[in-house]
Amino acid sequence: MTKVFLYCDESGAKGYANQDEASPGEVGVFAGIMVPEECLATVKPTFDQIAARYRPASGKLHIADLSPEQQGAMRNELFAAIKNTKLPCFWYAIHVAGLHADHQTFSNLLKQQGEALRAARGCEEPRIKHGSPREEPASMHVELFSGLYSHLVAFLLERGRQGEDIEIMTDQVDTPLVKRFTVVARDLLDSDPSVVKRTGYDTIEKKVVTGSITTTVKRPPELDFSPLVNSLSIVTMPDSDGLVLAADVLANSLNYLFKHRDADALYGPLNCMDAVAGHPLAAHLDAFFNWGSGDCIGDGIYRHPKASA
């Protein structure tokens, strides 16, 4: 049994799927730096010392408050530390327009299903009345975290790791968001039956009734990853932490890279090595032995509507 820490932060677009892009090709990015427990005591002081050198005499360290020269110097120091310590880096990015387009498709489907059901019933009132299905737009922040955590799990899986204790170390995040992060992380490897309960009103017997649907997933032995993660915790860290600062700078640099893509790449895939080939830490972002055939969520389901076929 071993332990790894993922120091992470986000940059770029936030909000929910019911919001469209504010600029062509706008993206949200979540980035992280993985540190095995046995390396933490050795590498962490280096990053903390860099953060301390740029921290103001009072108040928090805000990168935007530094001069362009200071920002560049701090970024170079942090990137040099990552290179020297040979820490693997991860990222996950999603186009705002792609997340929004998927939300619209789902909303339209709900509307069509409702209209078809009403047409099939005609004027007849249903015996069991349910409330209207609630439309909950996906959170960009949560979807990004889900993708980033999936990449960490894939990295550990490629290396045959088992029984890992994982600690996600991130900047200050609201408690409800931390809970949602925890849910999506555990759902990734959870093969237990899923139960959805629903309540309705029986118009004949004049009483509230309940029902449920149970979904069971049966995976073949080669896809049973359940022993991989022994425990998961998400810890919010102060801005003085050097590794969280490094993750913040990494996320911002990736967002900058995506913002300044050439016109022919503006709507293209984000979660592949080609997308970050121009980044100073490209070798550390190339974390997998085999990248497979591409990302089916961020660059598939959430692909930009203007992406080339």
Side-chain angles (χ1 to χ4, degrees):
M1 191 183 302
T2 56
K3 186 173 187 176
V4 297
F5 298 87
L6 182 69
Y7 288 82
C8 56
D9 207 347
E10 50 78 32
S11 182
K14 300 176 179 64
Y16 292 86
N18 56 356
Q19 301 165 347
D20 204 351
E21 61 183 14
S23 58
E26 184 185 18
V27 304
V29 187
F30 222 132
I33 304 167
M34 194 202 85
V35 185
E37 183 179 33
E38 61 270 21
C39 300
L40 189 64
T42 303
V43 306
K44 195 174 189 313
T46 300
F47 291 90
D48 287 343
Q49 288 165 12
I50 295 172
R53 284 199 291 274
Y54 291 92
R55 192 177 306 122
S58 61
K60 292 184 176 182
L61 170 59
H62 292 290
I63 299 174
D65 294 337
L66 300 177
S67 68
E69 293 76 15
Q70 288 178 310
Q71 291 182 28
M74 184 177 69
R75 180 172 57 250
N76 290 339
E77 285 192 56
L78 290 169
F79 284 1
I82 292 173
K83 291 176 182 178
N84 291 337
T85 52
K86 297 180 172 59
L87 295 173
C89 299
F90 303 89
W91 87 98
Y92 203 77
I94 295 174
H95 280 109
V96 174
L99 189 66
H100 180 63
D102 180 72
H103 169 72
Q104 285 187 309
T105 298
F106 182 71
S107 297
N108 291 336
L109 180 61
L110 282 180
K111 183 179 178 181
Q112 291 168 8
Q113 287 179 336
E115 290 173 350
L117 185 59
R118 285 191 294 272
R121 288 200 307 257
C123 298
E124 181 183 350
E125 287 292 325
R127 173 174 174 172
I128 307 296
K129 287 188 175 182
H130 302 280
S132 300
R134 288 190 303 170
E135 200 176 306
E136 297 184 3
S139 161
M140 171 66 83
H141 212 156
V142 174
E143 294 300 311
L144 289 171
F145 174 80
S146 178
L148 183 69
Y149 181 74
S150 297
H151 277 198
L152 173 63
V153 168
F155 176 86
L156 296 172
L157 187 65
E158 262 196 333
R159 284 148 183 81
R161 304 286 286 262
Q162 295 290 322
E164 294 283 346
D165 293 317
I166 297 176
E167 278 201 23
I168 306 294
M169 321 295 281
T170 188
D171 198 359
Q172 300 298 317
V173 178
D174 293 339
T175 300
L177 201 53
V178 170
K179 290 181 179 178
R180 294 183 69 182
F181 284 177
T182 303
V183 169
V184 297
R186 289 179 176 164
D187 284 351
L188 177 66
L189 301 177
D190 186 9
S191 58
D192 291 339
S194 173
V195 181
V196 177
K197 296 181 179 180
R198 196 167 181 196
T199 301
Y201 182 72
D202 189 323
T203 57
I204 295 179
E205 297 191 11
K206 308 297 183 186
K207 66 178 184 180
V208 175
V209 294
T210 60
S212 66
I213 298 176
T214 300
T215 304
T216 302
V217 176
K218 292 185 178 181
R219 295 173 175 163
E222 64 271 19
L223 294 179
D224 183 9
F225 308 138
S226 54
L228 179 65
V229 178
N230 179 62
S231 70
L232 169 70
S233 58
I234 300 175
V235 181
T236 55
M237 304 292 292
D239 69 302
S240 58
D241 188 278
L243 278 161
V244 169
L245 176 64
D248 178 23
V249 172
L250 175 59
N252 275 279
S253 66
L254 285 163
N255 185 46
Y256 181 87
L257 180 70
F258 293 142
K259 273 185 174 181
H260 294 83
R261 288 172 290 173
D262 293 335
D264 60 346
L266 186 60
Y267 306 118
L270 298 165
N271 301 297
C272 60
M273 280 309 302
D274 286 347
V276 298
H279 194 277
L281 294 177
H284 296 263
L285 291 163
D286 188 8
F288 299 110
F289 299 138
N290 181 7
W291 281 83
S293 58
D295 173 50
C296 61
I297 306 298
D299 293 336
I301 295 174
Y302 298 146
R303 70 195 296 267
H304 197 289
K306 293 183 180 179
S308 57

